[in-house]
Amino acid sequence: MNEPIQPLPTVADLVEEYITQHDTHWTNNTYLAAENELRRFLQFIGGKDLTPKLVADYQAAQHARKCKPCTLYRAISWTQRFLVWLEDMEYVRHNRVTNILRVPNVVPGKVRCFTHVQYEDLKEAAVGTMWYYAIVMAYRVGTRYSDTAMMKWEYVNLDKRVIRYVPWKTRMSGRE
């Protein structure tokens, strides 16, 4: 009868629990993105209780920011994931706050690349330097600068005329 009453967890406590529960599944960059966006959400709500009006105000504030659509998408989608987790863990009633946030559509931008004329001008400017072959490889194979700069001779098979490499940014997948 005289048991101490457990204090209700604050939203900050719940964010910490969410992050610690999921951080083993995330890569370092995913962890940093989640932490950054959820800290932004915490900063917005301050010490207030989580209410539907507060979530709607957060979305309005995010839309009022002058940022790219992909940044807005990331900010709202991480908050949305957190709110869904709150419902799944039964910290809030089902559909109380998750139906408020709307994740915006992100229209993929057009990939910009060098024209053939620009490529020829770059090659001409780099003749006699180490950049010449890096420019040729990057343009013809489609490698990133980091992939070209970190290329090793063991990846090059001159007999078969094949270059085998794993892109540096996607090396965790192991796809060549």
Side-chain angles (χ1 to χ4, degrees):
M1 188 85 172
N2 290 335
E3 295 177 22
I5 298 174
Q6 293 289 348
L8 294 174
T10 63
V11 178
D13 295 336
L14 295 172
V15 164
E16 288 301 322
E17 184 179 339
Y18 174 75
I19 289 174
T20 42
Q21 196 175 84
H22 290 85
D23 70 349
T24 57
H25 308 292
W26 293 334
T27 63
N28 188 42
N29 287 342
T30 303
Y31 173 81
L32 293 174
E35 185 180 42
N36 184 35
E37 295 307 330
L38 292 174
R39 298 275 175 244
R40 184 188 315 267
F41 178 64
L42 280 178
Q43 186 177 13
F44 179 82
I45 64 171
K48 302 172 190 162
D49 289 334
L50 189 63
T51 63
K53 181 177 180 352
L54 192 61
V55 173
D57 291 345
Y58 173 75
Q59 176 157 336
Q62 292 305 307
H63 281 283
R65 286 174 51 197
K66 296 205 183 308
C67 60
K68 293 182 179 179
C70 60
T71 305
L72 181 62
Y73 173 84
R74 185 178 62 228
I76 293 178
S77 68
W78 277 111
T79 307
Q80 177 78 358
R81 291 175 200 175
F82 169 68
L83 295 176
V84 167
W85 177 82
L86 285 178
E87 287 182 354
D88 291 345
M89 299 299 287
E90 297 179 354
Y91 286 118
V92 295
R93 246 184 13 251
H94 186 67
N95 287 340
R96 181 170 183 239
V97 289
T98 53
N99 285 343
I100 296 168
L101 283 183
R102 296 285 178 239
V103 180
N105 293 331
V106 176
V107 178
K110 182 180 177 188
V111 177
R112 298 181 317 183
C113 60
F114 290 107
T115 65
H116 189 70
V117 173
Q118 290 171 326
Y119 163 67
E120 292 297 332
D121 290 344
L122 272 174
K123 265 187 11 182
E124 186 179 322
V127 168
T129 68
M130 64 179 188
W131 291 104
Y132 179 80
Y133 296 104
I135 291 168
V136 171
M137 182 173 173
Y139 186 77
R140 294 293 178 189
V141 179
T143 61
R144 296 180 181 97
Y145 168 73
S146 59
D147 298 333
T148 305
M150 296 183 345
M151 181 65 64
K152 297 179 181 175
W153 272 111
E154 61 199 43
Y155 300 153
V156 179
N157 186 337
L158 293 176
D159 296 334
K160 294 182 181 177
R161 295 179 180 241
V162 172
I163 298 174
R164 191 190 110 263
Y165 79 100
V166 176
W168 179 255
K169 289 188 177 184
T170 58
R171 67 189 175 280
M172 296 202 51
S173 69
R175 281 181 281 163
E176 295 184 1

